[in-house]
Amino acid sequence: MNIPRNVLWFEVLLYLSLTLDAVSVAFQDRTPTARMTEQMINTGTLMAAGLILLLVYFVRLAAVGRKNWPRWVLAAALVLSVISLVQIVGEKGLELDSGIEVISCALTAMGLYYSFTGDAVGWFNA
């Protein structure tokens, strides 16, 4: 079975976005402070890694498993990411890590666009 070109673009762009997210988590500052203990930092890192793995599973379910609902979950996650990113950029300004997140959100948006257009229409089952 051949995967349609738009579905392939969806898969590649989403995996690229999630790779950027993983790199961003790997290089974030883990210096304990009075407000952020080492245990809190480790828990946050593990939760981020778990969420990235869950989103990888959703991309696979959508692209290979031809499921429709993971695309909508990924779209909702994108909306929440953009809201969070706007708040962070408004608070701290555009820094390296938020710049990486902007690129990641743009890749996700482009990938989701491909999943809803062109030859991807009709590929996903309800």
Side-chain angles (χ1 to χ4, degrees), residues 33-64:
T33 62
R35 291 181 52 205
M36 192 69 102
T37 65
E38 187 174 342
Q39 185 177 9
M40 291 168 66
I41 293 169
N42 290 338
T43 302
T45 303
L46 286 175
M47 287 178 64
L51 181 61
I52 290 170
L53 289 175
L54 181 65
L55 294 175
V56 165
Y57 177 66
F58 285 166
V59 171
R60 177 147 176 87
L61 269 179
V64 179

Side-chain angles (χ1 to χ4, degrees), residues 91-102:
E91 234 177 66
K92 298 181 181 178
L94 194 61
E95 296 176 346
L96 179 64
D97 57 344
S98 56
I100 291 172
E101 290 302 317
V102 167

